[in-house]
């Protein structure tokens, strides 16, 4: 029995319950079925939220994680609209994904799931309609499988996904972009107070692309990263994470698909804290680069008490509202994700441009664009967020700057 027949039967049985019919209608088409390595049919929920396309095609990542649901994706799509607006590039806001988790799955299982997911997604995306990218659980491997299935279904080679491999339309600096961009924004914030990043001790959460490349850029600029984490816990390295140690983490996480606790086994001076987050350690700067809602009020106060002077979000909304209030009441430098983690989607926009031109830019060209975009975002935040006492409210600045561009575009196109 297909989904349409199920809905029709329910309408007959429950004619006075339109809300129930609406809910069922939204859920049935989102079920993704795929076959695991044992030949068993598995089912997951799949979604794509297209929030606003006033300034350009819908644009936002796909997330594969057990926590994914409609509510999370709606808030991420809403946030993405204004983040994309801040980049100054012509991109609307969207988000999507599934409660499927690649963790523990074979390459063949991940491939079959991506193909099943694209069997539905391809109907609502396109280079001038909606351009997804990667996010948590969706890296280069997954984007490659998704793109291959899109091409098979449409017989077209288009810039319909970003984060692609370099051999088929990807952009240099894309894997690095969110982490690099976060640190570029951080340095601009520090400069407003005449502070240099060099020599500063940094707490970083996460150990995926964002955290890895935020760590890399911190090292390059002379800072001392002390922590990394995953969903099982975090490591604290009192000696600091250097280039060699970071190379080990990249191999561990990107190739071996291992857990961060193995770092402490490789480097005995490091301490692994199971089931915890790194926000009680003493440092100068915090870069939450893992996931949403990872810093609560108590942890925020611990950061302040331990001397943190700046927090720049590399993840999407990692700080709870009470944490943000504590940061702002303490007058530390605090950058919300819609501003400081916009580097990834910025380079995704640059990848779209390269695809349209059928050109590939050099790493330096892309990195220079990224630096300019992050600087422009910072300037807009300062413009709209500077208070009478001189404190820069980056939350207000980012919200007003992002909203104004979207609102003005919507008004110019007519109210419908």
């Amino acid at each position: 029995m297909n989904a349409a027949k199920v809905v029709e039967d329910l309408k007959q049985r429950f004619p006075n319950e339109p809300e129930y019919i609406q809910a069922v209608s939204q859920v049935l088409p989102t079920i993704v079925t795929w076959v695991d390595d044992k030949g068993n049919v598995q089912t997951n929920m799949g979604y794509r939220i297209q929030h606003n396309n006033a300034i350009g095609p819908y644009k936002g990542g796909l997330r594969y994680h057990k926590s994914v649901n409609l509510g999370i994706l709606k808030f991420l799509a809403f946030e993405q609209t204004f983040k994309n607006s801040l980049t100054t590039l012509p991109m609307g806001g969207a988000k999507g994904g599934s409660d499927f988790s690649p963790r523990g799955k074979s390459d063949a299982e991940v491939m079959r799931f991506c193909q099943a997911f694209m069997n539905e997604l391809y109907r609502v995306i396109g280079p001038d309609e909606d351009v997804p990218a990667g996010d948590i659980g969706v890296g280069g491997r997954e984007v490659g499988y998704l793109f291959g299935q899109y091409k098979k279904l449409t017989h077209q080679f288009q810039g319909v996904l970003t984060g692609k491999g370099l051999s088929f339309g990807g952009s240099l600096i894309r894997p690095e972009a969110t982490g690099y961009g976060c640190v570029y924004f951080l340095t601009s914030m520090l400069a407003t107070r005449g502070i240099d990043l060099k020599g500063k001790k940094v707490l970083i959460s996460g150990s995926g692309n964002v955290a890895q490349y935020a760590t890399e850029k911190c090292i390059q600029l002379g800072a001392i990263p002390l922590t990394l984490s995953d969903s099982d816990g975090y490591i604290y390295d009192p000696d600091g994470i250097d280039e060699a140690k970071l190379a080990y983490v990249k191999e561990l996480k990107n190739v071996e698909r291992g857990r961060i606790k193995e770092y402490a086994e490789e480097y005995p001076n490091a301490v692994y804290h199971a089931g915890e987050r790194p926000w009680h350690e003493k440092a100068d700067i915090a870069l939450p680069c893992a996931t949403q809602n990872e810093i609560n009020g108590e942890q925020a106060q611990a950061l302040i008490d331990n001397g943190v002077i700046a927090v720049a979000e590399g993840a999407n909304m990692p700080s709870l509202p009470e944490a943000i209030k504590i940061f702002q009441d303490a007058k530390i430098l605090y950058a919300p994700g819609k501003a400081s983690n916009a580097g990834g989607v910025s380079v995704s926009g640059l990848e779209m441009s390269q695809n349209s031109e059928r050109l590939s830019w050099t790493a330096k060209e892309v990195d220079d664009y990224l630096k300019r975009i992050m600087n422009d975002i910072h300037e807009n935040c300062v413009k709209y967020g500077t208070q009478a006492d001189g404190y820069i409210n980056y939350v207000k600045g980012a919200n007003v700057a992002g909203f104004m561009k979207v609102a003005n575009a919507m008004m110019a196109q007519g109210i419908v």
Side-chain angles (χ1 to χ4, degrees):
M1 182 179 291
N2 62 34
K5 184 65 167 62
V6 171
V7 172
E8 192 57 42
D9 287 350
L10 289 174
K11 285 180 179 179
Q12 299 290 331
R13 293 175 61 192
F14 307 106
N16 298 318
E17 300 180 17
E19 295 83 4
Y20 172 59
I21 303 302
Q22 180 183 2
V24 174
S25 299
Q26 290 176 348
V27 168
L28 282 175
T30 66
I31 295 174
V32 179
T33 59
W34 58 283
V35 180
D36 66 20
D37 286 344
K38 296 179 181 178
N40 298 317
V41 176
Q42 303 289 340
T43 61
N44 289 92
M45 302 301 293
Y47 312 90
R48 186 64 177 170
I49 306 297
Q50 296 174 328
H51 182 258
N52 187 285
N53 66 348
I55 63 175
Y58 298 110
K59 184 84 187 77
L62 295 171
R63 177 174 294 191
Y64 291 171
H65 192 270
K66 62 183 180 181
S67 66
V68 166
N69 59 45
L70 197 57
I72 285 175
L73 294 177
K74 282 184 175 180
F75 107 68
L76 290 171
F78 180 88
E79 184 82 352
Q80 194 77 46
T81 292
F82 302 108
K83 181 196 304 184
N84 291 359
S85 172
L86 282 171
T87 69
T88 73
L89 299 173
M91 300 180 293
K95 207 74 178 183
S98 172
D99 58 2
F100 168 86
S101 174
R103 184 177 174 182
K105 306 294 194 306
S106 70
D107 281 351
E109 288 175 323
V110 172
M111 179 182 70
R112 287 194 291 272
F113 175 79
C114 288
Q115 290 169 342
F117 189 86
M118 183 55 73
N119 284 344
E120 298 301 324
L121 183 66
Y122 88 97
R123 306 173 196 276
V124 295
I125 63 174
D128 298 311
E129 180 179 4
D130 184 351
V131 183
D135 194 80
I136 295 172
V138 180
R141 174 183 62 169
E142 289 77 16
V143 170
Y145 293 150
L146 289 163
F147 183 75
Q149 187 69 359
Y150 177 85
K151 191 157 58 76
K152 180 179 179 180
L153 292 166
T154 65
H155 308 290
Q156 296 186 43
F157 193 109
Q158 299 176 315
V160 72
L161 286 153
T162 56
K164 300 185 293 299
L166 292 176
S167 61
F168 55 99
S171 175
L172 291 163
I173 306 297
R174 178 59 190 90
E176 298 91 337
T178 306
Y180 278 17
C182 182
V183 178
Y184 291 151
F185 195 94
L186 169 66
T187 58
S188 294
M189 285 202 303
L190 293 172
T192 66
R193 297 189 180 180
I195 300 172
D196 192 343
L197 181 59
K198 187 175 182 179
K200 299 295 183 293
K201 294 182 178 180
V202 187
L203 305 178
I204 300 175
S205 66
S207 51
N209 266 7
V210 181
Q212 289 174 22
Y213 289 110
T215 301
E216 181 169 283
K217 186 54 66 175
C218 282
I219 295 169
Q220 291 174 2
L221 297 179
I224 306 167
L226 299 174
T227 66
L228 288 169
S229 71
D230 59 24
S231 57
D232 294 332
Y234 78 91
I235 56 98
Y236 172 81
D237 189 336
D239 301 326
I241 300 169
D242 58 22
E243 291 181 356
K245 293 174 180 176
L246 179 59
Y248 169 81
V249 172
K250 289 180 179 179
E251 178 75 14
L252 173 68
K253 302 300 290 188
N254 303 345
V255 179
E256 298 175 11
R257 311 282 176 182
R259 308 306 293 165
I260 200 64
K261 66 180 180 182
E262 296 173 47
Y263 180 102
E265 298 166 6
E266 182 74 13
Y267 301 101
N269 282 353
V271 180
Y272 176 66
H273 298 267
E276 298 182 30
R277 291 169 176 160
W279 311 127
H280 288 82
E281 302 289 354
K282 188 173 179 60
D284 304 299
I285 291 162
L287 302 179
C289 296
T291 188
Q292 71 270 5
N293 300 333
E294 60 170 305
I295 302 180
N296 60 28
E298 184 271 330
Q299 292 163 331
Q301 189 60 54
L303 289 171
I304 299 298
D305 294 343
N306 281 325
V308 163
I309 59 172
V311 176
E313 296 183 342
N316 288 300
M317 294 179 68
S319 305
L320 287 163
E322 63 263 28
I324 296 171
K325 184 177 188 303
I326 289 169
F327 295 148
Q328 293 181 326
D329 286 349
K331 300 294 185 181
I332 71 164
L333 297 165
Y334 166 69
K338 65 165 58 72
S340 52
N341 87 345
V345 74
S346 297
V347 173
S348 282
L350 299 178
E351 182 177 331
M352 291 167 64
S353 297
Q354 293 172 76
N355 291 166
S356 296
E357 294 180 335
R358 296 293 193 269
L359 293 175
S360 180
W361 302 342
T362 67
K364 184 179 185 306
E365 286 175 312
V366 178
D367 198 29
D368 286 345
Y369 271 120
L370 174 60
K371 290 176 185 176
R372 287 201 296 271
I373 289 170
M374 298 310 296
N375 183 64
D376 288 345
I377 294 173
H378 183 265
E379 288 186 358
N380 276 323
C381 289
V382 171
K383 176 182 177 181
Y384 290 104
T386 302
Q387 300 178 167
D389 62 359
Y391 178 68
I392 302 170
N393 185 331
Y394 285 95
V395 175
K396 176 184 176 183
N399 287 340
V400 172
F403 177 83
M404 289 298 294
K405 182 175 179 180
V406 174
N408 288 336
M410 292 176 69
M411 293 294 291
Q413 294 167 33
I415 301 174
V416 294

